[in-house]
Amino acid sequence: MSNALALPSNLSVGTFDSYLNVVSQMPKLTPEQEYELAVRYRDFGDLEAAKELVMSNLRFVAHVARGYSGYGLPLPDIIQEGNVGLMKAVKRFNPDVGVRLVSFAVHWIKAEIHEYVIKNWRIVKVATTKAQRKLFFNLRKSKNHLGWLTQDEAVAMAADLDVDLKTVYEMEKRMDGHDMAYDLPNDDASEDNYFAPESYLKQHNGDPAILLESSDWQGHEEDILAHAMTELDERSLDILNSRWLTEKKATLHELAERYNVSAERIRQLEKNAMKKLKEAVVLAA
């Protein structure tokens, strides 16, 4: 099946956007169409049916893959690994179980992406100097508490490690990705008969395709917001952090004393910072 379903092996910057555009326009299969194609492949080895199953679900691989963009690895490569997982899922899919292919395939897509990230994500990808490597590990430790670094913590870390404040915030954003666990057998030979239990759990919250798209958009908005915050001046960023992103939120009067201005001025700065963030999110959406 792999030869018949060969996909572009080198997605350059120029062709990558075109690839995403093409897969987003591929028609979705109805449950009846999907079942018929899966039966044709399983019972008769129809490679054209298998190819159609894969091609119609490439958009979901792209949705899942974007959740791993924070590891500093090329997104086209991550998508390619996810596509391999999708093909493995098609090979093992049993249409008689009664679930949609995308529900079953998510496990295999993530498994291939995880394997790729584990093999290729190295500290050198995110930190090229000794100071940046120290920053990487210090931020790892700092994540034992909730929320982002406060302004004082960020300033102190930047001074201690001899890096600028922007580097601290950029590294913190990169470290804010979530690790996702998965279960696979150690023996590759047993994969043909292995099915993760979660693959067949009933979907209580709706169509898996809708859930994937919703999850992808939420992650996209978080990336936009995090980037927009790095564009704020230090005082505005500290005000937002102190007012909204820490466990013990500061009052307007506390911040007024910190910056030796009126509480009304702090309120204005907070309002202006919120407006800038909103404009950045709207423009990038």
Side-chain angles (χ1 to χ4, degrees):
M1 182 178 70
S2 59
N3 292 333
L5 299 177
L7 300 173
S9 59
N10 58 335
L11 297 176
S12 66
V13 175
T15 62
F16 181 55
D17 289 341
S18 299
Y19 169 81
L20 292 179
N21 184 54
V22 169
V23 300
S24 68
Q25 297 181 37
M26 289 181 178
K28 298 179 181 179
L29 298 174
T30 65
E32 294 74 20
Q33 290 172 325
E34 183 177 279
Y35 179 83
E36 178 185 354
L37 290 169
V39 170
R40 280 167 50 191
Y41 174 63
R42 182 194 63 187
D43 295 348
F44 305 104
D46 188 336
L47 294 181
E48 286 301 315
K51 181 177 181 179
E52 190 169 348
L53 288 171
V54 170
M55 301 300 284
S56 64
N57 285 284
L58 290 179
R59 61 164 58 85
F60 300 116
V61 177
H63 285 312
V64 174
R66 284 182 61 178
Y68 297 84
S69 58
Y71 288 94
L73 298 171
L75 184 57
D77 292 348
I78 297 175
I79 291 177
Q80 285 293 85
E81 295 300 321
N83 289 344
V84 172
L86 174 61
M87 288 188 280
K88 287 186 176 181
V90 168
K91 182 178 180 181
R92 297 163 174 80
F93 182 55
N94 182 359
D96 294 328
V97 173
V99 298
R100 294 299 300 271
L101 172 60
V102 66
S103 297
F104 175 71
V106 165
H107 166 78
W108 296 97
I109 293 168
K110 288 184 177 180
E112 290 298 319
I113 293 176
H114 286 181
E115 185 68 18
Y116 171 74
V117 170
I118 290 171
K119 288 181 178 179
N120 293 277
W121 189 55
R122 298 291 185 269
I123 188 64
V124 69
K125 297 287 186 180
V126 294
T128 56
T129 67
K130 183 178 180 180
Q132 288 177 331
R133 287 192 287 272
K134 289 177 65 178
L135 174 59
F136 179 93
F137 288 108
N138 274 277
L139 280 173
R140 281 281 188 179
K141 295 176 183 177
S142 74
K143 287 306 178 181
N144 289 330
H145 65 74
L146 298 176
W148 288 27
L149 293 175
T150 66
Q151 178 76 3
D152 291 340
E153 289 173 334
V155 170
M157 188 173 292
D160 183 54
L161 300 175
D162 194 24
V163 296
D164 58 47
L165 191 61
K166 183 178 180 180
T167 300
V168 174
Y169 286 130
E170 288 177 345
M171 185 71 76
E172 183 182 29
K173 176 179 177 290
R174 183 168 291 238
M175 295 299 301
D176 201 43
H178 299 285
D179 295 327
M180 289 177 281
Y182 65 96
D183 294 322
L184 281 175
N186 293 326
D187 183 6
D188 292 340
S190 64
E191 285 186 359
D192 288 342
N193 297 319
Y194 178 78
F195 299 92
E198 63 267 26
S199 300
Y200 294 120
L201 292 178
K202 183 178 179 180
Q203 297 289 324
H204 296 286
N205 298 323
D207 188 296
I210 296 176
L211 294 177
L212 276 173
E213 292 180 8
S214 175
S215 174
D216 173 70
W217 179 246
Q218 180 181 358
H220 179 56
E221 285 186 321
E222 290 174 353
D223 287 342
I224 293 174
L225 181 60
H227 176 72
M229 291 187 72
T230 65
E231 301 299 318
L232 296 175
D233 62 87
E234 294 182 10
R235 182 171 62 174
S236 297
L237 182 59
D238 181 42
I239 290 172
L240 289 186
N241 275 322
S242 300
R243 292 278 290 159
W244 299 100
L245 300 177
T246 58
E247 296 179 28
K248 184 179 180 181
K249 295 178 175 55
T251 66
L252 293 175
H253 291 287
E254 289 172 340
L255 290 170
E257 291 181 7
R258 181 185 302 177
Y259 288 104
N260 196 27
V261 296
S262 67
E264 175 60 21
R265 179 55 179 161
I266 295 296
R267 188 192 67 77
Q268 292 174 354
L269 291 170
E270 179 185 23
K271 181 179 178 180
N272 290 337
M274 286 292 195
K275 182 179 178 181
K276 290 180 181 179
L277 291 182
K278 182 178 179 180
E279 291 175 347
V281 171
V282 170
L283 288 174

